Amino acid sequence: MKINKINLLDCTLRDGGYYNNWFFEKELINEYLKVMDMIKIEYVEIGFRFLDKVKIKGPCAYSKESFLKSLKIPKNLKIGIMVNASDFIGQKNLIDLAKKNFKPKKDTIISLIRIACYHHELKEVLPLIKWLKKSGYKVGVNIMQIPELSFNEIKNAVKEVRKANPDVLYFADSMGSLDAAKTKKIIYQIKSLWKKSTGIHTHDNMGKALENSITAIYNNVNWIDCTVTGMGRGPGNTKTEYLILELSKKKENLINLLNLIKKYFDPLKETYKWGSNPFYYYAGLNSIHPSFVQEMLSDTRFEQDDIYENLKRLSTVGGNKFSKELIALGKNYYNRVNKGSWEPSKVVKNQNVLIIGPCESVIKYKKKIIKFIEVNKPIVFVLNAINPIPKKYVYANVVCNTLRLLADIDKYKKSNKYVVTPFSSFSKNIKSRINSKKILDFGLQVKNNRFKFDKKYAVLPNSLAVTYSLGFCSSGQCKKIFFAGLDGYNKNNPKKFEMDDILQNYKLEKDSKEIVSLTPTNYNIKKFKI
């Protein structure tokens, strides 16, 4: 197969920018453009044209005309940019916005504009496609998350696209969930209704990006995306160097690409560590947006088990659209005071409280814990969605993690127990998905090494459910706090030291309450033999 029958589009600077916020050195860009021309790449997508009012990202996020003019672009290399449909949808005058952000084709070096959109956005973006074509641009439409669509949804999407008649219809494997068989099926579905050029944009979650691209080529898809070393969001994309080896009979210029990689992209990969791994593979299998994995891997506070547990929950609640809120931690999420509506003093004032955690000691001492409850009549709170004792003894569950709350919401509704959670801090989207009348909204703000107890909120050093429980019990002026099932980490685990430190700082607060553990624990807590 001759390479000149296929349009290879390298989008390293656009897709790779998700790792470095689109800050690429000018020297790298110019050398990259020179090498792309040498290896006969037809199109380079130089970046996005985001419409941010405050421009804090790198130049490849905006691809301004002044920036493009400053580059050494080989005369035979065609330049493209991408825009997000969401930037234009809902605007009062979409065409005026387009005119403000795009010159006529004759006045710019840009040849190709691709519009990234979801299938349900197509109808609203048709005027933009038509205007860009009328202005002289080659226009591509990238429909995202196509593998997650039904045939009827694909059919309706293609029918909408046909109304605007773009030059290329792309389908994007946004979740990296495709294999060769699924790729062929989608191509057949699209081409049964679309006779013009077709393109594919792959992600390498499951190590199948190259295979899917080659499959597409052999099924008459003639626009193929790639990136140098696969640099792109999440696990990355089809590697440019591999496509060249597969498709080009003349490989004499490949050494220039390999030298480019060694000099510029290997150091970048060492820093940002893109590429597939078991977490991305799991995300691909379960149609979870790769940015969830990318965000967690880049944050040292997420340990391996944290990432895996979050991915399991995302597979339950639906993780095909990235939301940082679902995996936000501590002060990054609860960074301001949102006063709740629930006053815990109406429930726990001058009462003993028992907080039950998830550890094995609850099972071992279950009968004794129940006996303690029957004799002493504490107000019982259970951390998260565990079900360690009969629900008749439980007043409420306690949860701060939004993802865990969404994953277990059906369990909470079924139990018909109250749920104590910082509801006022959640977005409208999260609130609508919870949709429960049994919420006790106690506010939370997270600040390092801080404790403050107010009637309807607390300031705490982290957002763990156990710390949050200390917060509302202290705010509610309870008598004493008993714990069960708080076994703790082993003595050398940093998380044990962190929790011991929090408990020690809590004890120093004038409004703190006495803490006693009914079950064995590795934490520095007074024990009560039951």
Side-chain angles (χ1 to χ4, degrees), residues 348-355 372 376 378-379 470 473-474 477-483 506 512-518 526 528:
V348 304
K349 189 172 183 178
N350 298 325
Q351 300 288 319
N352 286 328
V353 170
L354 172 59
I355 299 168
F372 175 86
N376 295 278
I379 309 298
L470 291 175
C473 289
S474 302
Q477 302 172 46
C478 72
K479 187 176 180 181
K480 186 185 292 187
I481 299 173
F482 292 91
F483 278 109
Y506 170 77
S512 67
K513 305 300 175 182
E514 183 182 359
I515 301 174
V516 180
S517 181
L518 301 182
K526 181 180 177 181
F528 178 89

Side-chain angles (χ1 to χ4, degrees), residues 190-250:
I190 291 173
K191 284 190 168 291
S192 67
L193 297 162
W194 178 258
K195 305 306 177 187
K196 297 181 70 175
S197 290
T198 312
I200 186 172
H201 178 88
T202 61
H203 279 261
D204 208 27
N205 295 57
M206 301 169 68
K208 296 179 179 179
L210 178 64
E211 177 188 355
N212 294 333
S213 295
I214 298 299
T215 297
I217 290 169
Y218 281 104
N219 284 273
N220 298 314
V221 171
N222 60 332
W223 285 71
I224 310 295
D225 280 12
C226 54
T227 58
V228 176
T229 68
M231 185 182 188
R233 179 154 58 178
N237 316 102
T238 296
K239 296 178 176 63
T240 303
E241 54 272 27
Y242 290 1
L243 262 186
I244 295 300
L245 285 167
E246 284 280 353
L247 302 175
S248 180
K249 291 180 180 178
K250 297 180 179 179

Side-chain angles (χ1 to χ4, degrees), residues 10-15 17 22 24 32 44-50 58-63 67-68 79-83 112 114:
D10 190 288
C11 50
T12 305
L13 304 180
R14 196 268 304 167
D15 214 334
W22 294 276
F24 290 94
Y32 158 81
V44 161
E45 195 165 63
I46 208 80
F48 278 105
R49 184 157 289 179
F50 290 140
C60 290
Y62 310 108
S63 307
F67 169 64
L68 298 179
I79 299 299
I81 61 170
M82 178 173 277
V83 297
L112 169 70
R114 298 202 295 175

Side-chain angles (χ1 to χ4, degrees), residues 182-450:
K182 292 176 185 175
T183 300
K184 288 169 71 172
K185 181 179 179 180
I186 289 171
I187 294 168
Y188 172 79
Q189 291 172 339
I190 291 173
K191 284 190 168 291
S192 67
L193 297 162
W194 178 258
K195 305 306 177 187
K196 297 181 70 175
S197 290
T198 312
I200 186 172
H201 178 88
T202 61
H203 279 261
D204 208 27
N205 295 57
M206 301 169 68
K208 296 179 179 179
L210 178 64
E211 177 188 355
N212 294 333
S213 295
I214 298 299
T215 297
I217 290 169
Y218 281 104
N219 284 273
N220 298 314
V221 171
N222 60 332
W223 285 71
I224 310 295
D225 280 12
C226 54
T227 58
V228 176
T229 68
M231 185 182 188
R233 179 154 58 178
N237 316 102
T238 296
K239 296 178 176 63
T240 303
E241 54 272 27
Y242 290 1
L243 262 186
I244 295 300
L245 285 167
E246 284 280 353
L247 302 175
S248 180
K249 291 180 180 178
K250 297 180 179 179
K251 300 180 177 65
E252 61 270 15
N253 286 320
L254 181 65
I255 190 63
N256 296 294
L257 176 57
L258 299 181
N259 288 336
L260 177 80
I261 290 169
K262 183 177 181 180
K263 184 175 180 180
Y264 296 107
F265 287 93
D266 281 348
L268 282 174
K269 191 170 185 179
E270 183 65 27
T271 300
Y272 297 107
K273 304 186 187 307
W274 62 84
S276 192
N277 60 41
F279 295 127
Y280 283 122
Y281 196 97
Y282 184 94
L285 283 174
N286 292 279
S287 296
I288 297 169
H289 200 289
S291 289
F292 284 113
V293 180
Q294 182 176 328
E295 284 287 330
M296 290 189 284
L297 288 175
S298 65
D299 190 331
T300 56
R301 293 172 300 171
F302 286 100
E303 297 195 10
Q304 300 272 321
D305 55 341
D306 298 323
I307 297 173
Y308 183 54
E309 287 301 317
N310 279 342
L311 290 175
K312 286 199 294 184
R313 294 185 189 113
L314 284 166
S315 68
T316 301
V317 306
N320 61 355
K321 189 171 183 180
F322 177 65
S323 168
K324 205 164 187 175
E325 180 179 15
L326 291 179
I327 54 170
L329 289 174
K331 65 180 180 181
N332 286 350
Y333 186 59
Y334 298 108
N335 56 7
R336 55 181 178 159
V337 174
N338 283 295
K339 294 182 180 180
S341 57
W342 178 58
E343 290 186 34
S345 61
K346 293 181 178 180
V347 177
V348 304
K349 189 172 183 178
N350 298 325
Q351 300 288 319
N352 286 328
V353 170
L354 172 59
I355 299 168
I356 300 180
C359 299
E360 293 179 1
S361 61
V362 174
I363 299 171
K364 183 176 180 180
Y365 295 95
K366 181 176 178 177
K367 290 182 179 179
K368 291 185 178 182
I369 292 169
I370 291 173
K371 185 70 174 176
F372 175 86
I373 295 171
E374 291 173 341
V375 171
N376 295 278
K377 310 296 184 187
I379 309 298
V380 180
F381 295 92
V382 174
L383 302 185
N384 300 310
I386 59 172
N387 188 27
I389 61 173
K391 66 180 183 179
K392 67 179 181 179
Y393 297 112
V394 177
Y395 180 76
N397 293 85
V398 181
V399 57
C400 288
N401 184 297
T402 52
L403 180 55
R404 179 173 277 175
L405 176 57
L406 288 178
D408 295 329
I409 192 64
D410 288 339
K411 294 180 183 177
Y412 295 128
K413 289 179 179 179
K414 187 176 180 180
S415 72
N416 201 34
K417 291 293 179 181
Y418 289 112
V419 177
V420 187
T421 192
F423 189 76
S424 55
S425 294
F426 301 158
S427 68
K428 289 181 180 179
N429 176 47
I430 298 296
K431 288 177 180 177
S432 66
R433 293 174 71 178
I434 293 169
N435 190 27
S436 171
K437 295 179 180 179
K438 304 289 285 188
I439 296 295
L440 299 177
D441 178 14
F442 183 74
L444 168 64
Q445 182 184 25
V446 173
K447 285 188 175 181
N448 286 342
N449 303 316
R450 284 289 305 277

Side-chain angles (χ1 to χ4, degrees), residues 442-471:
F442 183 74
L444 168 64
Q445 182 184 25
V446 173
K447 285 188 175 181
N448 286 342
N449 303 316
R450 284 289 305 277
F451 285 95
K452 178 183 176 182
F453 310 114
D454 209 293
K455 284 185 178 181
K456 297 181 181 179
Y457 78 94
V459 179
L460 303 169
N462 65 32
S463 59
L464 294 175
V466 61
T467 313
Y468 183 59
S469 299
L470 291 175

Side-chain angles (χ1 to χ4, degrees), residues 61-272:
Y62 310 108
S63 307
K64 290 183 177 180
E65 297 294 335
S66 57
F67 169 64
L68 298 179
K69 287 178 181 177
S70 73
L71 301 176
K72 297 176 182 177
I73 301 173
K75 66 177 184 178
N76 292 324
L77 192 63
K78 299 182 181 72
I79 299 299
I81 61 170
M82 178 173 277
V83 297
N84 284 323
S86 57
D87 283 344
F88 291 87
I89 289 171
Q91 298 295 329
K92 287 184 178 179
N93 197 319
L94 185 150
I95 300 304
D96 282 351
L97 184 63
K99 288 178 179 178
K100 183 180 177 181
N101 285 280
F102 301 104
K103 294 182 176 182
K105 168 66 187 73
K106 62 183 178 64
D107 298 326
T108 177
I109 196 170
I110 297 170
S111 300
L112 169 70
I113 297 178
R114 298 202 295 175
I115 302 167
C117 60
Y118 294 100
H119 73 287
H120 60 268
E121 297 174 325
L122 282 165
K123 189 173 184 178
E124 292 186 69
V125 86
L126 295 181
L128 176 62
I129 300 170
K130 293 176 181 177
W131 183 85
L132 289 171
K133 280 202 55 109
K134 189 176 179 180
S135 299
Y137 292 101
K138 187 181 286 290
V139 179
V141 174
N142 283 39
I143 303 178
M144 297 183 285
Q145 299 187 7
I146 270 198
E148 281 63 58
L149 304 183
S150 67
F151 176 55
N152 277 337
E153 287 173 323
I154 292 174
K155 181 171 68 174
N156 291 333
V158 175
K159 285 181 178 178
E160 285 294 334
V161 172
R162 277 167 34 184
K163 294 176 183 177
N165 196 32
D167 299 280
V168 191
L169 173 56
Y170 258 87
F171 66 99
D173 180 20
S174 308
M175 309 301 177
S177 58
L178 284 180
D179 57 22
K182 292 176 185 175
T183 300
K184 288 169 71 172
K185 181 179 179 180
I186 289 171
I187 294 168
Y188 172 79
Q189 291 172 339
I190 291 173
K191 284 190 168 291
S192 67
L193 297 162
W194 178 258
K195 305 306 177 187
K196 297 181 70 175
S197 290
T198 312
I200 186 172
H201 178 88
T202 61
H203 279 261
D204 208 27
N205 295 57
M206 301 169 68
K208 296 179 179 179
L210 178 64
E211 177 188 355
N212 294 333
S213 295
I214 298 299
T215 297
I217 290 169
Y218 281 104
N219 284 273
N220 298 314
V221 171
N222 60 332
W223 285 71
I224 310 295
D225 280 12
C226 54
T227 58
V228 176
T229 68
M231 185 182 188
R233 179 154 58 178
N237 316 102
T238 296
K239 296 178 176 63
T240 303
E241 54 272 27
Y242 290 1
L243 262 186
I244 295 300
L245 285 167
E246 284 280 353
L247 302 175
S248 180
K249 291 180 180 178
K250 297 180 179 179
K251 300 180 177 65
E252 61 270 15
N253 286 320
L254 181 65
I255 190 63
N256 296 294
L257 176 57
L258 299 181
N259 288 336
L260 177 80
I261 290 169
K262 183 177 181 180
K263 184 175 180 180
Y264 296 107
F265 287 93
D266 281 348
L268 282 174
K269 191 170 185 179
E270 183 65 27
T271 300
Y272 297 107

